[in-house]
Amino acid sequence: MAKEEGSPESYLPLTPATFHILMALAKKENHGYGIMLEVEESTNGRFSIGPGTLYGSIKRLLKAGWIEESEERPDAELDDERRR
């Protein structure tokens, strides 16, 4: 039986990067660099995600509707406008 495009099954198996990104975001909202740090910390340095892989994966997860951008922003003095 073929996997219907866009169905949850069509994304399986998850890539290691996607799995770790979703696990990091399950704990709390975060921006890209924060996700990179969380993945490295939660795996005790055994797995790290480079920026190209991270942002490519985030783009696909956003398009698929698995994650969404937060509308809330930190205090402007503590925020970097590039963070999404």
Side-chain angles (χ1 to χ4, degrees):
M1 182 173 183
K3 295 177 184 177
E4 184 178 326
E5 186 176 334
S7 70
E9 293 81 14
S10 70
Y11 294 95
L12 298 176
L14 295 177
T15 65
T18 298
F19 172 78
H20 287 292
I21 291 167
L22 291 172
M23 292 300 293
L25 291 173
K27 292 180 180 180
K28 66 178 183 175
E29 288 185 8
N30 217 333
H31 53 82
Y33 184 67
I35 294 169
M36 289 171 60
L37 294 177
E38 174 62 33
V39 167
E40 196 158 336
E41 181 182 312
S42 69
T43 63
N44 295 319
R46 291 185 308 265
F47 190 83
S48 61
I49 301 174
T53 299
L54 174 74
Y55 291 106
S57 297
I58 287 174
K59 183 177 178 179
R60 285 187 294 280
L61 289 167
L62 284 165
K63 183 178 178 183
W66 284 33
I67 63 173
E68 59 185 35
E69 288 186 54
S70 174
E71 305 239 348
E72 293 183 31
R73 303 294 300 189
D75 182 334
E77 291 186 21
L78 303 174
D79 192 23
D80 181 333
E81 65 186 32
R82 296 172 295 177
R83 291 182 178 157
R84 297 170 52 185

